[in-house]
Amino acid sequence: MSEAHDVLFRTLADPTRRALFERLCREGERTVGALTERAGVSQPVVSKHLGLLKQAGLVRDRHQGRHTYYSAQLGALAPLVDWTSEMAGFWQSRFDDLEDLLKRMDQ
Amino acid sequence: MSEAHDVLFRTLADPTRRALFERLCREGERTVGALTERAGVSQPVVSKHLGLLKQAGLVRDRHQGRHTYYSAQLGALAPLVDWTSEMAGFWQSRFDDLEDLLKRMDQ
DNA sequence: TCAATCCATAGCCAACCAGGTATGAGTCCG
DNA sequence: CGGACTCATACCTGGTTGGCTATGGATTGA
């Protein structure tokens, strides 16, 4: 029941968390401290969100001294794209069925 | 802050709600009663979820006698596709920047 | 008209979770 | 070594919400 896109929807549903992921996509690799600035929430909260993003495969971390650099893993969005494509596909096939039906009725 | 894709992520994050939308995509127009079967939850819960899906623009309803028919509005997924494309675009442009940098360094 | 059916709303409750503060582990520098 | 800094974890709490039952409005059919 719970497939690959489930964790993505659940993880990206939170605005704060999604904003962090967006910043990593826009700005590239960043430290926790840099992300905390203008995040609107405290540093521990940022860390927790980054942990969930990492658990979802949306980001990866790299330790260097005192700093932890996070970066977006864009490939992780694939199941999301697949899901939307699948939904569109169902819709399209039903549309095709209707067209077929109309075409057969036309004869 | 809260843009078009926000409500979509929030609405589709719930598994039960997403399953209802999926069924409407796969099977086409259905009544509340038909959706309640094999939904795993009670009818009022199904009605509430359908209400939220409607509020998000993901489904539309049509009343006919005692029945209410719901159907998927696939176009509503567009902001989701746009968002993923935008994220991919940022990633790609940063990759291009890196390539440019490497190219210039190579000279 | 009266019973049955379909659906939505209201009210309630338990579970989840995003936010905070406190704190500790690890690292750099003087 | 000692202090400052970076980050993660632990713990608590208030708000949100997904589930339920109860109920009522609307419609159909006998």
Side-chain angles (χ1 to χ4, degrees):
Chain A
M1 183 61 83
S2 60
E3 312 200 17
H5 58 264
D6 182 73
V7 63
L8 294 183
F9 274 118
R10 203 154 22 89
T11 304
L12 293 173
D14 181 74
T16 304
R17 202 154 47 223
R18 194 173 58 245
L20 286 172
F21 179 71
E22 284 192 30
R23 281 193 61 188
L24 288 176
C25 286
R26 291 174 187 267
E27 308 174 6
E29 199 179 48
R30 285 291 181 274
T31 68
V32 176
L35 291 170
T36 299
E37 299 189 24
R38 304 192 313 173
V41 293
S42 65
Q43 173 267 315
V45 169
V46 171
S47 280
K48 179 151 59 171
H49 281 309
L50 290 172
L52 291 175
L53 285 168
K54 179 183 174 185
Q55 197 172 335
L58 286 165
V59 303
R60 80 183 198 92
D61 59 346
R62 176 176 67 86
H63 299 277
Q64 177 175 336
R66 290 183 288 190
H67 301 275
T68 307
Y69 289 88
Y70 282 89
S71 54
Q73 290 288 99
L74 206 72
L77 287 179
L80 210 62
V81 177
D82 293 344
W83 183 85
T84 55
S85 300
E86 198 180 356
M87 292 307 112
F90 290 138
W91 186 84
Q92 185 64 40
S93 67
R94 284 193 297 103
F95 185 75
D96 290 345
D97 289 349
L98 177 63
E99 241 181 7
D100 280 357
L101 179 63
L102 292 178
K103 206 169 293 179
R104 273 180 277 123
M105 286 176 60
D106 200 31
Q107 296 179 347
Chain B
M1 181 66 79
S2 60
E3 313 201 17
H5 58 264
D6 181 74
V7 63
L8 294 183
F9 273 118
R10 202 155 21 90
T11 303
L12 293 173
D14 180 73
T16 304
R17 202 153 49 222
R18 195 173 57 247
L20 286 172
F21 179 71
E22 284 191 30
R23 281 193 60 187
L24 288 176
C25 285
R26 292 174 187 267
E27 309 174 6
E29 199 177 50
R30 286 290 182 275
T31 67
V32 177
L35 290 171
T36 299
E37 299 190 23
R38 305 194 313 172
V41 293
S42 64
Q43 174 267 315
V45 169
V46 171
S47 280
K48 179 151 61 168
H49 282 310
L50 289 172
L52 291 175
L53 285 169
K54 178 183 175 185
Q55 197 171 337
L58 286 165
V59 303
R60 81 181 199 91
D61 59 344
R62 177 175 68 84
H63 299 277
Q64 178 176 337
R66 291 183 288 190
H67 302 276
T68 306
Y69 288 88
Y70 282 89
S71 54
Q73 289 288 98
L74 207 72
L77 287 179
L80 209 62
V81 177
D82 293 344
W83 183 85
T84 56
S85 300
E86 199 181 355
M87 293 306 113
F90 291 137
W91 186 85
Q92 184 63 39
S93 67
R94 286 193 297 103
F95 184 75
D96 292 345
D97 289 348
L98 177 63
E99 238 181 9
D100 280 356
L101 180 63
L102 291 178
K103 207 168 294 180
R104 273 179 277 123
M105 286 175 61
D106 199 30
Q107 296 180 347

PDB file of all heavy atoms in Angstrom, chain A residues 12 14 20 25 28 30 49 52 57 66-67 73-74 80 85 87 91 102 104-105 107:
ATOM      1  N   LEU A  12       7.064  16.183   1.714  1.00  0.00           N
ATOM      2  CA  LEU A  12       6.996  17.490   1.060  1.00  0.00           C
ATOM      3  C   LEU A  12       5.725  18.251   1.407  1.00  0.00           C
ATOM      4  O   LEU A  12       5.558  19.407   0.986  1.00  0.00           O
ATOM      5  CB  LEU A  12       7.103  17.316  -0.452  1.00  0.00           C
ATOM      6  CG  LEU A  12       8.462  16.805  -0.950  1.00  0.00           C
ATOM      7  CD1 LEU A  12       8.418  16.495  -2.437  1.00  0.00           C
ATOM      8  CD2 LEU A  12       9.560  17.835  -0.660  1.00  0.00           C
ATOM      9  N   ASP A  14       4.849  19.371   4.307  1.00  0.00           N
ATOM     10  CA  ASP A  14       5.108  20.444   5.271  1.00  0.00           C
ATOM     11  C   ASP A  14       5.805  21.630   4.594  1.00  0.00           C
ATOM     12  O   ASP A  14       6.841  21.450   3.949  1.00  0.00           O
ATOM     13  CB  ASP A  14       5.977  19.920   6.411  1.00  0.00           C
ATOM     14  CG  ASP A  14       6.249  21.003   7.430  1.00  0.00           C
ATOM     15  OD1 ASP A  14       5.335  21.337   8.186  1.00  0.00           O
ATOM     16  OD2 ASP A  14       7.385  21.531   7.446  1.00  0.00           O
ATOM     17  N   LEU A  20      12.910  24.235   2.723  1.00  0.00           N
ATOM     18  CA  LEU A  20      14.318  23.855   2.870  1.00  0.00           C
ATOM     19  C   LEU A  20      14.796  23.114   1.626  1.00  0.00           C
ATOM     20  O   LEU A  20      15.873  23.401   1.097  1.00  0.00           O
ATOM     21  CB  LEU A  20      14.497  22.970   4.108  1.00  0.00           C
ATOM     22  CG  LEU A  20      14.413  23.681   5.459  1.00  0.00           C
ATOM     23  CD1 LEU A  20      14.403  22.677   6.593  1.00  0.00           C
ATOM     24  CD2 LEU A  20      15.576  24.657   5.606  1.00  0.00           C
ATOM     25  N   CYS A  25      17.667  23.128  -3.669  1.00  0.00           N
ATOM     26  CA  CYS A  25      17.613  23.005  -5.132  1.00  0.00           C
ATOM     27  C   CYS A  25      18.103  24.279  -5.802  1.00  0.00           C
ATOM     28  O   CYS A  25      18.861  24.235  -6.772  1.00  0.00           O
ATOM     29  CB  CYS A  25      16.181  22.697  -5.578  1.00  0.00           C
ATOM     30  SG  CYS A  25      15.628  21.011  -5.256  1.00  0.00           S
ATOM     31  N   GLY A  28      21.959  25.165  -4.018  1.00  0.00           N
ATOM     32  CA  GLY A  28      22.976  24.126  -3.941  1.00  0.00           C
ATOM     33  C   GLY A  28      23.348  23.791  -2.510  1.00  0.00           C
ATOM     34  O   GLY A  28      22.608  24.099  -1.583  1.00  0.00           O
ATOM     35  N   ARG A  30      24.451  23.575   1.179  1.00  0.00           N
ATOM     36  CA  ARG A  30      24.423  24.558   2.253  1.00  0.00           C
ATOM     37  C   ARG A  30      24.594  23.876   3.604  1.00  0.00           C
ATOM     38  O   ARG A  30      24.219  22.714   3.777  1.00  0.00           O
ATOM     39  CB  ARG A  30      23.089  25.309   2.260  1.00  0.00           C
ATOM     40  CG  ARG A  30      22.931  26.346   1.151  1.00  0.00           C
ATOM     41  CD  ARG A  30      23.848  27.522   1.348  1.00  0.00           C
ATOM     42  NE  ARG A  30      23.696  28.543   0.316  1.00  0.00           N
ATOM     43  CZ  ARG A  30      24.334  28.535  -0.847  1.00  0.00           C
ATOM     44  NH1 ARG A  30      25.150  27.532  -1.144  1.00  0.00           N
ATOM     45  NH2 ARG A  30      24.159  29.515  -1.720  1.00  0.00           N
ATOM     46  N   HIS A  49      13.993  18.588  10.392  1.00  0.00           N
ATOM     47  CA  HIS A  49      13.430  18.547   9.035  1.00  0.00           C
ATOM     48  C   HIS A  49      14.432  17.969   8.044  1.00  0.00           C
ATOM     49  O   HIS A  49      14.080  17.171   7.173  1.00  0.00           O
ATOM     50  CB  HIS A  49      13.008  19.949   8.607  1.00  0.00           C
ATOM     51  CG  HIS A  49      11.695  20.374   9.198  1.00  0.00           C
ATOM     52  ND1 HIS A  49      10.561  19.606   9.133  1.00  0.00           N
ATOM     53  CD2 HIS A  49      11.341  21.492   9.882  1.00  0.00           C
ATOM     54  CE1 HIS A  49       9.563  20.226   9.727  1.00  0.00           C
ATOM     55  NE2 HIS A  49      10.004  21.379  10.192  1.00  0.00           N
ATOM     56  N   LEU A  52      14.457  14.289   8.273  1.00  0.00           N
ATOM     57  CA  LEU A  52      13.336  13.646   7.588  1.00  0.00           C
ATOM     58  C   LEU A  52      13.527  13.676   6.075  1.00  0.00           C
ATOM     59  O   LEU A  52      13.218  12.703   5.379  1.00  0.00           O
ATOM     60  CB  LEU A  52      12.026  14.341   7.976  1.00  0.00           C
ATOM     61  CG  LEU A  52      11.594  14.121   9.428  1.00  0.00           C
ATOM     62  CD1 LEU A  52      10.362  14.941   9.766  1.00  0.00           C
ATOM     63  CD2 LEU A  52      11.334  12.643   9.689  1.00  0.00           C
ATOM     64  N   GLY A  57      15.211  10.392   1.281  1.00  0.00           N
ATOM     65  CA  GLY A  57      16.102  10.312   0.130  1.00  0.00           C
ATOM     66  C   GLY A  57      16.163  11.594  -0.680  1.00  0.00           C
ATOM     67  O   GLY A  57      16.769  11.627  -1.752  1.00  0.00           O
ATOM     68  N   ARG A  66      33.244  20.919  11.838  1.00  0.00           N
ATOM     69  CA  ARG A  66      32.056  21.150  12.651  1.00  0.00           C
ATOM     70  C   ARG A  66      30.806  21.235  11.800  1.00  0.00           C
ATOM     71  O   ARG A  66      29.704  21.157  12.294  1.00  0.00           O
ATOM     72  CB  ARG A  66      32.213  22.469  13.429  1.00  0.00           C
ATOM     73  CG  ARG A  66      33.236  22.420  14.523  1.00  0.00           C
ATOM     74  CD  ARG A  66      33.276  23.724  15.267  1.00  0.00           C
ATOM     75  NE  ARG A  66      33.879  24.797  14.472  1.00  0.00           N
ATOM     76  CZ  ARG A  66      34.199  25.978  14.984  1.00  0.00           C
ATOM     77  NH1 ARG A  66      33.973  26.244  16.253  1.00  0.00           N
ATOM     78  NH2 ARG A  66      34.753  26.901  14.234  1.00  0.00           N
ATOM     79  N   HIS A  67      30.976  21.429  10.520  1.00  0.00           N
ATOM     80  CA  HIS A  67      29.837  21.705   9.640  1.00  0.00           C
ATOM     81  C   HIS A  67      29.256  20.437   9.022  1.00  0.00           C
ATOM     82  O   HIS A  67      29.955  19.454   8.819  1.00  0.00           O
ATOM     83  CB  HIS A  67      30.263  22.655   8.522  1.00  0.00           C
ATOM     84  CG  HIS A  67      30.795  23.965   9.037  1.00  0.00           C
ATOM     85  ND1 HIS A  67      29.971  25.015   9.364  1.00  0.00           N
ATOM     86  CD2 HIS A  67      32.055  24.379   9.310  1.00  0.00           C
ATOM     87  CE1 HIS A  67      30.707  26.027   9.801  1.00  0.00           C
ATOM     88  NE2 HIS A  67      31.978  25.671   9.779  1.00  0.00           N
ATOM     89  N   GLN A  73      18.937  15.860  -3.547  1.00  0.00           N
ATOM     90  CA  GLN A  73      19.080  14.679  -4.401  1.00  0.00           C
ATOM     91  C   GLN A  73      17.890  14.655  -5.344  1.00  0.00           C
ATOM     92  O   GLN A  73      16.836  14.102  -5.026  1.00  0.00           O
ATOM     93  CB  GLN A  73      19.097  13.413  -3.546  1.00  0.00           C
ATOM     94  CG  GLN A  73      20.336  13.241  -2.715  1.00  0.00           C
ATOM     95  CD  GLN A  73      21.538  12.881  -3.555  1.00  0.00           C
ATOM     96  OE1 GLN A  73      22.347  13.735  -3.883  1.00  0.00           O
ATOM     97  NE2 GLN A  73      21.656  11.627  -3.928  1.00  0.00           N
ATOM     98  N   LEU A  74      18.050  15.299  -6.486  1.00  0.00           N
ATOM     99  CA  LEU A  74      16.906  15.523  -7.348  1.00  0.00           C
ATOM    100  C   LEU A  74      16.297  14.234  -7.881  1.00  0.00           C
ATOM    101  O   LEU A  74      15.089  14.161  -8.128  1.00  0.00           O
ATOM    102  CB  LEU A  74      17.292  16.435  -8.513  1.00  0.00           C
ATOM    103  CG  LEU A  74      16.100  17.202  -9.047  1.00  0.00           C
ATOM    104  CD1 LEU A  74      15.688  18.268  -8.053  1.00  0.00           C
ATOM    105  CD2 LEU A  74      16.392  17.790 -10.385  1.00  0.00           C
ATOM    106  N   LEU A  80       7.588  10.691  -7.784  1.00  0.00           N
ATOM    107  CA  LEU A  80       6.533  11.694  -7.848  1.00  0.00           C
ATOM    108  C   LEU A  80       6.120  11.940  -9.296  1.00  0.00           C
ATOM    109  O   LEU A  80       4.930  11.984  -9.631  1.00  0.00           O
ATOM    110  CB  LEU A  80       7.037  12.988  -7.216  1.00  0.00           C
ATOM    111  CG  LEU A  80       6.016  13.889  -6.550  1.00  0.00           C
ATOM    112  CD1 LEU A  80       5.351  13.164  -5.393  1.00  0.00           C
ATOM    113  CD2 LEU A  80       6.667  15.159  -6.073  1.00  0.00           C
ATOM    114  N   SER A  85       2.444  10.942 -13.839  1.00  0.00           N
ATOM    115  CA  SER A  85       2.331  10.411 -15.198  1.00  0.00           C
ATOM    116  C   SER A  85       1.336   9.263 -15.252  1.00  0.00           C
ATOM    117  O   SER A  85       0.535   9.154 -16.187  1.00  0.00           O
ATOM    118  CB  SER A  85       3.696   9.929 -15.688  1.00  0.00           C
ATOM    119  OG  SER A  85       4.630  10.989 -15.694  1.00  0.00           O
ATOM    120  N   MET A  87      -1.210   8.751 -13.213  1.00  0.00           N
ATOM    121  CA  MET A  87      -2.568   9.294 -13.101  1.00  0.00           C
ATOM    122  C   MET A  87      -3.019   9.883 -14.426  1.00  0.00           C
ATOM    123  O   MET A  87      -4.135   9.647 -14.884  1.00  0.00           O
ATOM    124  CB  MET A  87      -2.609  10.378 -12.011  1.00  0.00           C
ATOM    125  CG  MET A  87      -2.399   9.854 -10.604  1.00  0.00           C
ATOM    126  SD  MET A  87      -3.506   8.501 -10.157  1.00  0.00           S
ATOM    127  CE  MET A  87      -2.349   7.142 -10.025  1.00  0.00           C
ATOM    128  N   TRP A  91      -6.164   8.684 -16.974  1.00  0.00           N
ATOM    129  CA  TRP A  91      -7.134   9.635 -17.493  1.00  0.00           C
ATOM    130  C   TRP A  91      -7.156   9.577 -19.024  1.00  0.00           C
ATOM    131  O   TRP A  91      -8.205   9.499 -19.640  1.00  0.00           O
ATOM    132  CB  TRP A  91      -6.745  11.034 -17.016  1.00  0.00           C
ATOM    133  CG  TRP A  91      -7.735  12.071 -17.368  1.00  0.00           C
ATOM    134  CD1 TRP A  91      -8.860  12.398 -16.678  1.00  0.00           C
ATOM    135  CD2 TRP A  91      -7.705  12.920 -18.514  1.00  0.00           C
ATOM    136  NE1 TRP A  91      -9.527  13.396 -17.321  1.00  0.00           N
ATOM    137  CE2 TRP A  91      -8.853  13.739 -18.451  1.00  0.00           C
ATOM    138  CE3 TRP A  91      -6.830  13.073 -19.585  1.00  0.00           C
ATOM    139  CZ2 TRP A  91      -9.129  14.697 -19.420  1.00  0.00           C
ATOM    140  CZ3 TRP A  91      -7.112  14.026 -20.561  1.00  0.00           C
ATOM    141  CH2 TRP A  91      -8.256  14.818 -20.460  1.00  0.00           C
ATOM    142  N   LEU A 102     -17.078   6.463 -29.085  1.00  0.00           N
ATOM    143  CA  LEU A 102     -17.777   7.425 -29.937  1.00  0.00           C
ATOM    144  C   LEU A 102     -17.546   7.105 -31.407  1.00  0.00           C
ATOM    145  O   LEU A 102     -18.448   7.204 -32.238  1.00  0.00           O
ATOM    146  CB  LEU A 102     -17.301   8.845 -29.619  1.00  0.00           C
ATOM    147  CG  LEU A 102     -17.706   9.374 -28.242  1.00  0.00           C
ATOM    148  CD1 LEU A 102     -17.124  10.766 -28.021  1.00  0.00           C
ATOM    149  CD2 LEU A 102     -19.227   9.399 -28.113  1.00  0.00           C
ATOM    150  N   ARG A 104     -16.830   4.173 -32.705  1.00  0.00           N
ATOM    151  CA  ARG A 104     -17.591   2.982 -33.082  1.00  0.00           C
ATOM    152  C   ARG A 104     -19.082   3.287 -33.201  1.00  0.00           C
ATOM    153  O   ARG A 104     -19.778   2.731 -34.033  1.00  0.00           O
ATOM    154  CB  ARG A 104     -17.352   1.869 -32.058  1.00  0.00           C
ATOM    155  CG  ARG A 104     -16.110   1.033 -32.391  1.00  0.00           C
ATOM    156  CD  ARG A 104     -15.868  -0.067 -31.374  1.00  0.00           C
ATOM    157  NE  ARG A 104     -15.150   0.438 -30.201  1.00  0.00           N
ATOM    158  CZ  ARG A 104     -15.606   0.338 -28.970  1.00  0.00           C
ATOM    159  NH1 ARG A 104     -16.765  -0.220 -28.730  1.00  0.00           N
ATOM    160  NH2 ARG A 104     -14.898   0.805 -27.966  1.00  0.00           N
ATOM    161  N   MET A 105     -19.528   4.207 -32.332  1.00  0.00           N
ATOM    162  CA  MET A 105     -20.938   4.578 -32.403  1.00  0.00           C
ATOM    163  C   MET A 105     -21.235   5.355 -33.677  1.00  0.00           C
ATOM    164  O   MET A 105     -22.343   5.348 -34.188  1.00  0.00           O
ATOM    165  CB  MET A 105     -21.322   5.436 -31.192  1.00  0.00           C
ATOM    166  CG  MET A 105     -21.432   4.635 -29.913  1.00  0.00           C
ATOM    167  SD  MET A 105     -21.765   5.715 -28.516  1.00  0.00           S
ATOM    168  CE  MET A 105     -23.302   6.455 -29.009  1.00  0.00           C
ATOM    169  N   GLN A 107     -19.984   4.911 -36.617  1.00  0.00           N
ATOM    170  CA  GLN A 107     -20.086   4.083 -37.823  1.00  0.00           C
ATOM    171  C   GLN A 107     -21.524   3.622 -38.071  1.00  0.00           C
ATOM    172  O   GLN A 107     -22.192   3.236 -37.158  1.00  0.00           O
ATOM    173  CB  GLN A 107     -19.195   2.838 -37.671  1.00  0.00           C
ATOM    174  CG  GLN A 107     -17.719   3.183 -37.564  1.00  0.00           C
ATOM    175  CD  GLN A 107     -16.851   1.930 -37.387  1.00  0.00           C
ATOM    176  OE1 GLN A 107     -17.384   0.870 -37.104  1.00  0.00           O
ATOM    177  NE2 GLN A 107     -15.553   2.067 -37.551  1.00  0.00           N
TER     178      GLN A 107
END
